Amino acid sequence: MVRLKSRYLLCEVNVSDRSQLLLLDDRAIMVAVKAAVARTHGDYGAAMCSIRFCVKYLNAHTGIVFLRFPKSCYKLLWSALPFITSVETRGQKIPCFLNCLHVGGTIRTCQKFLIRYNTQQLHRMLPKCKSEEEKRQVRKAILSCSLTESKEAFEEDSESEEEEEEEE
Amino acid sequence: MKQVEEKEEASVYQRVVLKNASPYHYLKVRLVLEDESTRLSAVELKYFIITGLKSLYGEVGAALNFDVLKYDEDTLTAFLRVYSRSLVKLWSSLTLLGSYQNKACAFRVLQVSRFDPRSSLIIRIFSEVIHS
């Protein structure tokens, strides 16, 4: 059966100032990626970007974004992502860079990877907890996320708890 | 020696790709401008081709290595040398380059070959034997 195949790139947006992360929205990221591809690969790249490119998922709390590219040209467009230096939203230029964590064929595989990645990050962060109080807070936050809620809420809570540990 | 030539009257275009051949391709091109009196220097021509590559293929295209081996200012004919992997990109950007300083222009590609067309026939046969 003929099927339109795409590649989903799981990227992390790294910003120096975490409060600016919340200002991001998917249209701003789309514009930034298209501009970078047009600069790096010219008209040829801009045309390839217009076929089936979109931002499928953006989590402003954690800075995770799913980008969809067509399978035939995803490597070329992937090579333009390191040239993104800032994202322009609501009149502000946020300096950031995109870090690609995973390439998957479907959104579901990317989500599975993201859950595994977040649990790994949590296991790395927990030993750094300075007091019992923090550990209890983290455990409570995770256990309070019920399975009926969406997976995004689970990731949000675990990541925001990690942030608090980092800052303290 | 295989030469791929574009002839106006022939409708068949054949591209032959040989493995283990020389790493460069040579193009003989002529720039045809709307007003015949403009003259370009070799540096201006190279810059003009680079702007064409940049508009079609971006920064990566503009970084393609090519050389202007010989340039005749009166007839605006040049011999270009490019790596074989970049031939398609260079040729397509020459095709789509349409205006020089807001005046219409066209690049006519007269000859494309794998071996240096400036050298004589004996040397070309010799180099073909070495490379094959």
Side-chain angles (χ1 to χ4, degrees):
Chain A
M1 196 57 217
V2 173
R3 176 171 152 166
L4 281 179
K5 298 197 174 178
S6 315
R7 286 285 176 257
Y8 292 88
L9 255 68
L10 207 179
C11 299
E12 187 189 0
V13 179
N14 283 62
V15 205
S16 45
D17 186 8
R18 275 212 93 100
S19 58
Q20 284 179 329
L21 198 58
L22 292 165
L23 296 171
L24 288 178
D25 68 330
D26 52 350
R27 204 157 298 163
I29 302 260
M30 190 160 173
V31 161
V33 171
K34 279 197 172 169
V37 167
R39 218 174 34 232
T40 317
H41 294 296
D43 288 342
Y44 181 60
M48 283 200 298
C49 216
S50 68
I51 295 176
R52 222 165 31 248
F53 162 63
C54 70
V55 174
K56 271 298 187 187
Y57 166 79
L58 171 65
N59 190 337
H61 295 279
T62 57
I64 298 283
V65 57
F66 284 5
L67 300 169
R68 177 178 72 175
F69 293 125
K71 183 182 168 186
S72 51
C73 56
Y74 76 100
K75 284 188 186 167
L76 203 68
L77 301 172
W78 187 1
S79 68
L81 292 184
F83 293 97
I84 298 176
T85 53
S86 63
V87 173
E88 168 116 28
T89 110
R90 293 177 215 179
Q92 274 191 42
K93 266 198 176 173
I94 306 172
C96 63
F97 65 93
L98 289 186
N99 191 17
C100 178
L101 302 171
H102 184 247
V103 177
T106 56
I107 296 186
R108 197 173 297 170
T109 52
C110 288
Q111 228 173 14
K112 283 188 201 165
F113 171 81
L114 192 58
I115 294 171
R116 268 197 337 257
Y117 179 75
N118 284 339
T119 46
Q120 279 174 7
Q121 294 285 79
L122 204 56
H123 287 307
R124 266 189 24 213
M125 295 283 179
L126 264 169
K128 291 188 196 162
C129 275
K130 294 189 195 66
S131 68
E132 258 316 303
E133 177 62 33
E134 288 177 27
K135 279 195 188 168
R136 268 196 288 119
Q137 273 181 7
V138 169
R139 277 199 209 104
K140 199 175 68 148
I142 295 175
L143 289 172
S144 67
C145 296
S146 60
L147 286 173
T148 52
E149 282 180 47
S150 61
K151 295 227 169 75
E152 293 150 40
F154 171 85
E155 289 149 17
E156 263 181 56
D157 279 297
S158 57
E159 288 288 337
S160 50
E161 287 302 325
E162 289 169 36
E163 276 176 60
E164 289 173 21
E165 294 165 28
E166 275 181 82
E167 279 154 27
E168 280 159 31
Chain B
M1 182 182 83
K2 290 244 164 37
Q3 265 196 27
V4 180
E5 292 188 32
E6 260 182 65
K7 297 176 222 163
E8 251 80 335
E9 64 273 15
S11 56
V12 168
Y13 172 66
Q14 194 188 30
R15 182 178 176 201
V16 181
V17 180
L18 295 174
K19 302 204 174 177
N20 302 325
S22 91
Y24 293 108
H25 263 81
Y26 297 83
L27 281 126
K28 181 174 173 186
V29 298
R30 185 170 71 221
L31 178 60
V32 171
L33 291 164
E34 197 178 1
D35 65 338
E36 310 284 318
S37 56
T38 6
R39 288 280 167 261
L40 275 87
S41 68
V43 176
E44 283 172 6
L45 178 79
K46 182 157 185 184
Y47 181 67
F48 181 44
I49 298 178
I50 288 180
T51 47
L53 275 168
K54 186 163 181 170
S55 77
L56 188 57
Y57 290 111
E59 301 283 347
V60 166
L64 283 182
N65 277 326
F66 71 97
D67 303 304
V68 177
L69 297 175
K70 193 167 164 183
Y71 179 58
D72 184 4
E73 277 206 37
D74 301 315
T75 54
L76 296 174
T77 312
F79 282 95
L80 305 175
R81 177 181 68 180
V82 71
Y83 279 102
S84 303
R85 292 183 134 222
S86 327
L87 175 70
V88 175
K89 287 194 170 171
L90 180 67
W91 198 343
S92 55
S93 58
L94 287 179
T95 309
L96 292 175
L97 203 45
S99 64
Y100 175 68
Q101 289 177 354
N102 298 328
K103 284 174 289 212
C105 78
F107 268 97
R108 306 271 182 238
V109 176
L110 305 169
Q111 197 181 344
V112 178
S113 104
R114 197 166 291 104
F115 305 102
D116 196 340
R118 301 172 298 171
S119 51
S120 70
L121 190 59
I122 303 244
I123 296 181
R124 283 197 276 186
I125 294 175
F126 185 58
S127 56
E128 181 182 5
V129 166
I130 290 182
H131 282 291
S132 58

